[in-house]
Every structure is written in C-alpha cells, then in structure tokens.
Amino acid sequence: MGYPSVFDPSGRVGNDYGIFGLPTTYIIAPDDRIRYVVYGRINPASFRVALESLLKPTPSETAGR
C-alpha cells in the first residue's frame, strides 16, 4: 500500500469512528473527519479519485496566491 493504513487490534479506532463491518475502507482527512467510506470491495480507480480530490487545496487555501 502506498498510503497510511491503521491496524487496530484493540478496536479503539474502530469504536472512535463507528466502524461496524469488514471490509470497510475509510479516508480520514487531516481534520479527523471521515471524507470517504466504502463498505465491501473497493474499486481502485474510485479510491484513487477520492484520495486525489482530498489532496487538492481548497479555495480558502489558495485564496492568497
């Protein structure tokens, strides 16, 4: 994997985010908000688009440029 992943054997992170099924894929933004969720199998192309959309600067981040 070329992106950070969480191994959560204690279930603490799962409890914090309300994760209830496997497999489940979450993209959590730097502000700790869940921005993308897929229950079950994930389409790699859709996942890539979701990741890329979160990596783009927001209008407020680019306003001063």
Side-chain angles (χ1 to χ4, degrees):
M1 285 185 279
Y3 51 87
S5 184
V6 175
F7 178 63
D8 186 27
S10 70
R12 183 172 160 243
V13 174
N15 288 337
D16 289 349
Y17 285 99
I19 297 169
F20 60 88
L22 296 175
T24 305
T25 301
Y26 293 85
I27 297 176
I28 302 171
D31 63 2
D32 292 332
R33 291 177 37 183
I34 295 172
R35 300 295 181 140
Y36 183 82
V37 181
V38 174
Y39 300 104
R41 256 181 109 175
I42 189 165
N43 175 306
S46 297
F47 186 64
R48 179 180 300 272
V49 168
L51 281 174
E52 289 172 352
S53 72
L54 291 174
L55 295 174
K56 291 180 186 175
T58 64
S60 64
E61 292 173 330
T62 59
R65 294 182 189 176

